Amino acid sequence: MAHRPLACVILAAGKGTRMKSDLPKVLHRVAGRPMVGHVLAAVKTLDPDHVVVVVGPGMESVAAAVAPYPTAIQHEQRGTADAVRAAFGLLEGFTGDVVVLYGDTPLVTPDTLHAMVAARRRSDDPAVVVLGMRPDDPGAYGRLILNADGGLEKIVEYLDASGEERAVGLCNAGLMAFDGARMFDLIGSVGNDNAKSEFYLTDVVQIARRGGMACAVVEAAPAEVVGVNSRAELSEVERLIQRRLRKAAMDNGATLTDPDSTIFSVDTKLGRDVIVGAHVVFAGGVTVGDNVEIKSFCHLEQTRIETGATVGPYARLRPGAEIGPDAHIGNFVEIKNAVIEAGAKVNHLTYIGDARVGAKANIGAGTITCNYDGFGKHRTDIGAGAFIGSNSSLVAPVTIGDGAIVGAGSVITTAVEADALVVARGAQKAYAGWAKRFRERKQSEKAKKA
Ligand code: UD1
Ligand code: MG
């Protein structure tokens, strides 16, 4: 079959007033990615020939976020049909299929988009395919009115609907697929004689029917088409996507001890037989190998953890942390921009930043890499098999050779040779009987005063 071209138009010009935010609505994040990024990710699975994102004036930040896809500006918010018209300039002469999506409806799945395109290409050749849903509470959604043959007859906006129409449970989710050859005329004929004096995209159905064209409905689960207009709805969408991500993680062979408290980003990658304790947060960019255990209360971001490592409880892995195979990262440990090589142990109360910890090195409790001098960052390099005694400060830039031992409580400021013992702390002095004599003197002074 000849390739039929496909275009996608994403509407994102709405101001999002109810978000009460300086950030354009579609840039608010769910599972670590801006909403419009989720829509684009779903759209990409259709392999479209064109994608246009419609934004409002001054939304350069949205344009930057969706680049390299082009944006069209809708200068005034005059309704959803007007918003699609704003994209016409970039689609001139296009006669393939056109899918219209909303930037604030981020949970739509590739399967649903494929079903809409397939329905558009059916033999009855509908001019418009509308995505429908049956929410528990149809609220103020537009209602889909079917005809006797089960085809779509019209969409009525809630404000314009009669009592009988409001009783219909089948609602407009908002997304539509058009035959591009007919779309420009259909949307061009939409007027604004309605309760809001807006150009409703939904009017195209009635216009198409009057012209004798077929229109069809594809239904989606309501959870997939939840739109975000407020922070409460944003949190609801976050909840739904987390549920999806948790299920996917478990389906792929990870154990989540308390799934409801595991927070994922869309790009989290977990290997097989990973065990995740309660209250673990995967911020963006985390990759975890097989057989890794991440114990409770860890926060991980832009981090790679290799096979067999254990992390936590209460560890913070910041951008650039690379935890090698079978390494141990324990409680109250913070690691940033540092490679912890195979089998190394950093088990307690430690900060490792801008560093390398060689294979099988052991970092004692309370070790700090002093990487920052108030102006710049400096590196610490710890050799394989080195042993850093507890409560040591390694003042970077500094190198600890392979197999060296650093005595507890040391402040290391210059390079330590391989296999050396270095102790850099005040020498211990002892004064026999001093404490006892001190106490006796104090007690007799006290007795004299009384
Ligand atoms: C729309 C539908 C309604 C449907 C509901 C589903 C219309 C007329 N109504 O209503 O039937 O049940 O979605 O959520 O389409 N936008 C622009 N420019 C505009 C207006 C809107 O870009 O001038 C964008 C918004 O940013 C948003 C989307 O279009 O992403 C939908 O707009 P919104 O105002 O939320 O439409 P609803 O009133 O919710
Ligand atoms: Mg809406």
Short mmCIF file of all heavy atoms in Angstrom, two decimals, residues 303-349:
data_model
loop_
_atom_site.label_atom_id
_atom_site.label_comp_id
_atom_site.label_asym_id
_atom_site.label_seq_id
_atom_site.Cartn_x
_atom_site.Cartn_y
_atom_site.Cartn_z
N THR A 303 21.97 8.74 37.21
CA THR A 303 22.86 7.81 37.88
C THR A 303 22.80 6.47 37.17
O THR A 303 21.75 6.10 36.66
CB THR A 303 22.33 7.64 39.33
OG1 THR A 303 22.61 8.83 40.05
CG2 THR A 303 22.91 6.45 40.02
N ARG A 304 23.95 5.79 37.13
CA ARG A 304 23.94 4.42 36.60
C ARG A 304 24.40 3.49 37.72
O ARG A 304 25.41 3.75 38.38
CB ARG A 304 24.89 4.34 35.40
CG ARG A 304 25.20 2.92 34.94
CD ARG A 304 26.25 2.93 33.85
NE ARG A 304 25.73 3.59 32.67
CZ ARG A 304 24.97 2.98 31.75
NH1 ARG A 304 24.67 1.71 31.89
NH2 ARG A 304 24.52 3.63 30.73
N ILE A 305 23.66 2.42 37.92
CA ILE A 305 24.03 1.43 38.94
C ILE A 305 24.21 0.09 38.23
O ILE A 305 23.30 -0.37 37.54
CB ILE A 305 22.93 1.32 40.02
CG1 ILE A 305 22.64 2.70 40.63
CG2 ILE A 305 23.35 0.33 41.11
CD1 ILE A 305 21.45 2.72 41.57
N GLU A 306 25.39 -0.50 38.41
CA GLU A 306 25.68 -1.74 37.68
C GLU A 306 25.25 -2.98 38.48
O GLU A 306 25.02 -2.90 39.70
CB GLU A 306 27.18 -1.84 37.39
CG GLU A 306 27.78 -0.59 36.76
CD GLU A 306 27.81 -0.63 35.25
OE1 GLU A 306 27.30 -1.59 34.64
OE2 GLU A 306 28.37 0.33 34.68
N THR A 307 25.23 -4.08 37.75
CA THR A 307 24.78 -5.37 38.27
C THR A 307 25.27 -5.70 39.68
O THR A 307 26.45 -5.56 39.98
CB THR A 307 25.31 -6.49 37.35
OG1 THR A 307 25.00 -6.12 36.02
CG2 THR A 307 24.70 -7.83 37.67
N GLY A 308 24.37 -6.12 40.51
CA GLY A 308 24.75 -6.68 41.81
C GLY A 308 25.06 -5.66 42.88
O GLY A 308 25.37 -6.02 44.02
N ALA A 309 24.99 -4.39 42.58
CA ALA A 309 25.30 -3.36 43.59
C ALA A 309 24.15 -3.26 44.59
O ALA A 309 23.02 -3.65 44.29
CB ALA A 309 25.53 -2.02 42.93
N THR A 310 24.44 -2.76 45.80
CA THR A 310 23.37 -2.44 46.74
C THR A 310 23.50 -0.98 47.14
O THR A 310 24.60 -0.45 47.29
CB THR A 310 23.39 -3.31 48.01
OG1 THR A 310 24.60 -3.04 48.70
CG2 THR A 310 23.32 -4.79 47.71
N VAL A 311 22.36 -0.36 47.31
CA VAL A 311 22.32 1.08 47.57
C VAL A 311 21.32 1.34 48.69
O VAL A 311 20.21 0.82 48.67
CB VAL A 311 21.89 1.85 46.30
CG1 VAL A 311 21.69 3.33 46.60
CG2 VAL A 311 22.90 1.66 45.17
N GLY A 312 21.72 2.16 49.67
CA GLY A 312 20.79 2.58 50.69
C GLY A 312 20.79 1.64 51.89
O GLY A 312 21.63 0.76 51.98
N PRO A 313 19.88 1.81 52.84
CA PRO A 313 18.80 2.81 52.82
C PRO A 313 19.34 4.23 52.99
O PRO A 313 20.48 4.42 53.41
CB PRO A 313 17.95 2.41 54.03
CG PRO A 313 18.93 1.74 54.96
CD PRO A 313 19.89 1.01 54.05
N TYR A 314 18.52 5.20 52.62
CA TYR A 314 18.84 6.62 52.80
C TYR A 314 20.10 7.05 52.04
O TYR A 314 20.98 7.68 52.63
CB TYR A 314 19.00 6.99 54.26
CG TYR A 314 17.78 6.78 55.11
CD1 TYR A 314 17.62 5.63 55.88
CD2 TYR A 314 16.76 7.73 55.14
CE1 TYR A 314 16.50 5.43 56.64
CE2 TYR A 314 15.62 7.53 55.91
CZ TYR A 314 15.50 6.39 56.66
OH TYR A 314 14.39 6.19 57.43
N ALA A 315 20.21 6.67 50.79
CA ALA A 315 21.34 7.15 49.99
C ALA A 315 20.84 8.18 48.99
O ALA A 315 19.70 8.12 48.54
CB ALA A 315 22.01 6.00 49.26
N ARG A 316 21.70 9.13 48.67
CA ARG A 316 21.36 10.11 47.65
C ARG A 316 22.40 10.03 46.54
O ARG A 316 23.58 10.33 46.78
CB ARG A 316 21.33 11.52 48.24
CG ARG A 316 21.03 12.54 47.18
CD ARG A 316 20.67 13.87 47.75
NE ARG A 316 20.35 14.78 46.68
CZ ARG A 316 20.57 16.09 46.70
NH1 ARG A 316 21.10 16.62 47.78
NH2 ARG A 316 20.25 16.83 45.68
N LEU A 317 21.98 9.61 45.36
CA LEU A 317 22.89 9.52 44.24
C LEU A 317 22.54 10.64 43.27
O LEU A 317 21.46 10.66 42.69
CB LEU A 317 22.76 8.15 43.55
CG LEU A 317 23.06 6.95 44.46
CD1 LEU A 317 23.02 5.65 43.65
CD2 LEU A 317 24.41 7.09 45.15
N ARG A 318 23.47 11.57 43.13
CA ARG A 318 23.22 12.78 42.33
C ARG A 318 23.81 12.62 40.93
O ARG A 318 24.51 11.65 40.65
CB ARG A 318 23.79 13.98 43.07
CG ARG A 318 23.01 14.29 44.37
CD ARG A 318 23.71 15.35 45.18
NE ARG A 318 24.01 16.52 44.37
CZ ARG A 318 24.96 17.43 44.66
NH1 ARG A 318 25.68 17.28 45.75
NH2 ARG A 318 25.15 18.45 43.87
N PRO A 319 23.55 13.61 40.05
CA PRO A 319 23.98 13.45 38.67
C PRO A 319 25.45 13.05 38.54
O PRO A 319 26.33 13.61 39.20
CB PRO A 319 23.71 14.83 38.08
CG PRO A 319 22.49 15.29 38.83
CD PRO A 319 22.71 14.80 40.24
N GLY A 320 25.68 12.07 37.68
CA GLY A 320 27.04 11.62 37.40
C GLY A 320 27.54 10.57 38.36
O GLY A 320 28.71 10.18 38.28
N ALA A 321 26.68 10.06 39.24
CA ALA A 321 27.11 8.95 40.10
C ALA A 321 27.08 7.68 39.26
O ALA A 321 26.09 7.39 38.59
CB ALA A 321 26.18 8.82 41.30
N GLU A 322 28.19 6.94 39.26
CA GLU A 322 28.23 5.67 38.55
C GLU A 322 28.69 4.61 39.53
O GLU A 322 29.84 4.63 39.99
CB GLU A 322 29.20 5.74 37.37
CG GLU A 322 28.63 6.58 36.25
CD GLU A 322 29.54 6.60 35.03
OE1 GLU A 322 30.23 5.59 34.78
OE2 GLU A 322 29.54 7.63 34.35
N ILE A 323 27.78 3.72 39.85
CA ILE A 323 28.05 2.72 40.88
C ILE A 323 28.37 1.40 40.18
O ILE A 323 27.53 0.84 39.48
CB ILE A 323 26.83 2.55 41.82
CG1 ILE A 323 26.29 3.92 42.29
CG2 ILE A 323 27.16 1.63 42.98
CD1 ILE A 323 27.30 4.80 42.99
N GLY A 324 29.59 0.93 40.38
CA GLY A 324 30.07 -0.26 39.65
C GLY A 324 29.46 -1.55 40.16
O GLY A 324 28.77 -1.58 41.19
N PRO A 325 29.74 -2.65 39.45
CA PRO A 325 29.18 -3.94 39.82
C PRO A 325 29.54 -4.32 41.25
O PRO A 325 30.68 -4.13 41.68
CB PRO A 325 29.83 -4.92 38.83
CG PRO A 325 30.53 -4.11 37.81
CD PRO A 325 30.61 -2.70 38.27
N ASP A 326 28.58 -4.82 41.98
CA ASP A 326 28.76 -5.34 43.35
C ASP A 326 29.28 -4.30 44.34
O ASP A 326 29.72 -4.65 45.43
CB ASP A 326 29.70 -6.56 43.35
CG ASP A 326 29.16 -7.66 42.46
OD1 ASP A 326 27.96 -7.97 42.60
OD2 ASP A 326 29.91 -8.18 41.61
N ALA A 327 29.24 -3.05 43.99
CA ALA A 327 29.63 -2.00 44.95
C ALA A 327 28.53 -1.86 46.00
O ALA A 327 27.38 -2.23 45.77
CB ALA A 327 29.86 -0.68 44.23
N HIS A 328 28.91 -1.35 47.17
CA HIS A 328 27.94 -1.13 48.25
C HIS A 328 27.90 0.35 48.60
O HIS A 328 28.92 0.91 48.98
CB HIS A 328 28.35 -1.89 49.51
CG HIS A 328 28.15 -3.36 49.42
ND1 HIS A 328 27.91 -4.15 50.51
CD2 HIS A 328 28.15 -4.18 48.35
CE1 HIS A 328 27.78 -5.41 50.12
NE2 HIS A 328 27.93 -5.44 48.82
N ILE A 329 26.75 0.91 48.53
CA ILE A 329 26.56 2.30 48.95
C ILE A 329 25.58 2.25 50.11
O ILE A 329 24.44 1.79 49.94
CB ILE A 329 25.97 3.16 47.81
CG1 ILE A 329 26.81 3.03 46.53
CG2 ILE A 329 25.83 4.61 48.26
CD1 ILE A 329 28.26 3.46 46.67
N GLY A 330 25.99 2.69 51.27
CA GLY A 330 25.15 2.50 52.46
C GLY A 330 24.34 3.72 52.85
O GLY A 330 24.05 4.59 52.04
N ASN A 331 24.01 3.77 54.13
CA ASN A 331 23.08 4.79 54.62
C ASN A 331 23.73 6.15 54.78
O ASN A 331 24.90 6.27 55.12
CB ASN A 331 22.46 4.36 55.96
CG ASN A 331 23.49 3.80 56.89
OD1 ASN A 331 23.78 2.61 56.86
ND2 ASN A 331 24.06 4.65 57.71
N PHE A 332 22.95 7.17 54.49
CA PHE A 332 23.39 8.57 54.60
C PHE A 332 24.68 8.82 53.83
O PHE A 332 25.61 9.43 54.33
CB PHE A 332 23.50 8.99 56.06
CG PHE A 332 22.21 8.74 56.80
CD1 PHE A 332 22.10 7.72 57.72
CD2 PHE A 332 21.08 9.49 56.50
CE1 PHE A 332 20.89 7.45 58.34
CE2 PHE A 332 19.87 9.22 57.11
CZ PHE A 332 19.78 8.20 58.04
N VAL A 333 24.69 8.32 52.62
CA VAL A 333 25.83 8.53 51.72
C VAL A 333 25.33 9.35 50.54
O VAL A 333 24.26 9.07 50.00
CB VAL A 333 26.40 7.17 51.24
CG1 VAL A 333 27.41 7.38 50.11
CG2 VAL A 333 27.05 6.44 52.41
N GLU A 334 26.10 10.38 50.19
CA GLU A 334 25.77 11.21 49.03
C GLU A 334 26.91 11.07 48.03
O GLU A 334 28.08 11.21 48.39
CB GLU A 334 25.62 12.67 49.48
CG GLU A 334 25.44 13.63 48.32
CD GLU A 334 25.26 15.07 48.79
OE1 GLU A 334 25.00 15.29 50.00
OE2 GLU A 334 25.40 15.98 47.95
N ILE A 335 26.54 10.80 46.78
CA ILE A 335 27.57 10.64 45.75
C ILE A 335 27.19 11.50 44.55
O ILE A 335 26.03 11.48 44.10
CB ILE A 335 27.70 9.16 45.33
CG1 ILE A 335 28.22 8.40 46.55
CG2 ILE A 335 28.65 9.01 44.15
CD1 ILE A 335 28.49 6.96 46.33
N LYS A 336 28.14 12.30 44.08
CA LYS A 336 27.88 13.18 42.93
C LYS A 336 29.06 13.11 41.98
O LYS A 336 30.21 13.19 42.43
CB LYS A 336 27.70 14.62 43.43
CG LYS A 336 27.35 15.57 42.32
CD LYS A 336 27.97 16.95 42.49
CE LYS A 336 29.45 16.94 42.23
NZ LYS A 336 30.06 18.27 42.15
N ASN A 337 28.78 13.00 40.71
CA ASN A 337 29.82 13.03 39.68
C ASN A 337 31.04 12.20 40.10
O ASN A 337 32.15 12.70 40.17
CB ASN A 337 30.23 14.49 39.40
CG ASN A 337 31.20 14.58 38.24
OD1 ASN A 337 31.13 13.78 37.32
ND2 ASN A 337 32.11 15.55 38.29
N ALA A 338 30.79 10.95 40.38
CA ALA A 338 31.88 10.10 40.86
C ALA A 338 31.65 8.66 40.41
O ALA A 338 30.52 8.20 40.34
CB ALA A 338 31.94 10.15 42.39
N VAL A 339 32.76 8.00 40.12
CA VAL A 339 32.69 6.60 39.71
C VAL A 339 33.12 5.75 40.90
O VAL A 339 34.21 5.94 41.43
CB VAL A 339 33.63 6.34 38.52
CG1 VAL A 339 33.58 4.87 38.11
CG2 VAL A 339 33.24 7.23 37.34
N ILE A 340 32.27 4.85 41.30
CA ILE A 340 32.61 3.92 42.39
C ILE A 340 32.82 2.58 41.69
O ILE A 340 31.88 1.99 41.16
CB ILE A 340 31.44 3.83 43.41
CG1 ILE A 340 30.95 5.21 43.85
CG2 ILE A 340 31.85 2.95 44.60
CD1 ILE A 340 31.96 6.09 44.53
N GLU A 341 34.05 2.12 41.66
CA GLU A 341 34.36 0.94 40.84
C GLU A 341 33.94 -0.36 41.53
O GLU A 341 33.52 -0.36 42.70
CB GLU A 341 35.84 0.95 40.46
CG GLU A 341 36.11 2.13 39.51
CD GLU A 341 37.56 2.25 39.04
OE1 GLU A 341 38.44 1.55 39.59
OE2 GLU A 341 37.80 3.06 38.14
N ALA A 342 34.08 -1.44 40.77
CA ALA A 342 33.53 -2.74 41.18
C ALA A 342 33.90 -3.10 42.62
O ALA A 342 35.05 -3.01 43.03
CB ALA A 342 34.02 -3.83 40.23
N GLY A 343 32.92 -3.52 43.37
CA GLY A 343 33.15 -4.06 44.70
C GLY A 343 33.59 -3.06 45.75
O GLY A 343 33.88 -3.44 46.89
N ALA A 344 33.66 -1.79 45.42
CA ALA A 344 34.06 -0.80 46.43
C ALA A 344 32.93 -0.62 47.44
O ALA A 344 31.77 -0.89 47.14
CB ALA A 344 34.40 0.53 45.76
N LYS A 345 33.29 -0.18 48.67
CA LYS A 345 32.28 -0.01 49.71
C LYS A 345 32.32 1.40 50.26
O LYS A 345 33.37 1.86 50.71
CB LYS A 345 32.53 -0.99 50.86
CG LYS A 345 32.26 -2.43 50.44
CD LYS A 345 32.42 -3.38 51.59
CE LYS A 345 32.16 -4.80 51.10
NZ LYS A 345 32.72 -5.79 52.01
N VAL A 346 31.18 2.04 50.23
CA VAL A 346 31.03 3.38 50.82
C VAL A 346 29.79 3.25 51.68
O VAL A 346 28.68 3.51 51.25
CB VAL A 346 30.83 4.46 49.73
CG1 VAL A 346 30.89 5.85 50.36
CG2 VAL A 346 31.85 4.33 48.60
N ASN A 347 29.99 2.81 52.91
CA ASN A 347 28.83 2.30 53.63
C ASN A 347 28.13 3.26 54.58
O ASN A 347 26.96 3.07 54.87
CB ASN A 347 29.20 1.03 54.40
CG ASN A 347 29.02 -0.21 53.52
OD1 ASN A 347 28.21 -0.18 52.58
ND2 ASN A 347 29.76 -1.25 53.78
N HIS A 348 28.82 4.28 55.07
CA HIS A 348 28.14 5.09 56.09
C HIS A 348 28.51 6.57 56.01
O HIS A 348 29.69 6.91 55.99
CB HIS A 348 28.49 4.64 57.52
CG HIS A 348 28.84 3.20 57.66
ND1 HIS A 348 27.91 2.25 57.99
CD2 HIS A 348 30.01 2.54 57.49
CE1 HIS A 348 28.51 1.06 58.04
NE2 HIS A 348 29.78 1.22 57.74
N LEU A 349 27.52 7.44 56.04
CA LEU A 349 27.70 8.86 56.39
C LEU A 349 28.84 9.52 55.63
O LEU A 349 29.75 10.08 56.23
CB LEU A 349 27.99 8.96 57.90
CG LEU A 349 26.93 8.37 58.80
CD1 LEU A 349 27.51 7.93 60.12
CD2 LEU A 349 25.82 9.40 59.03
#
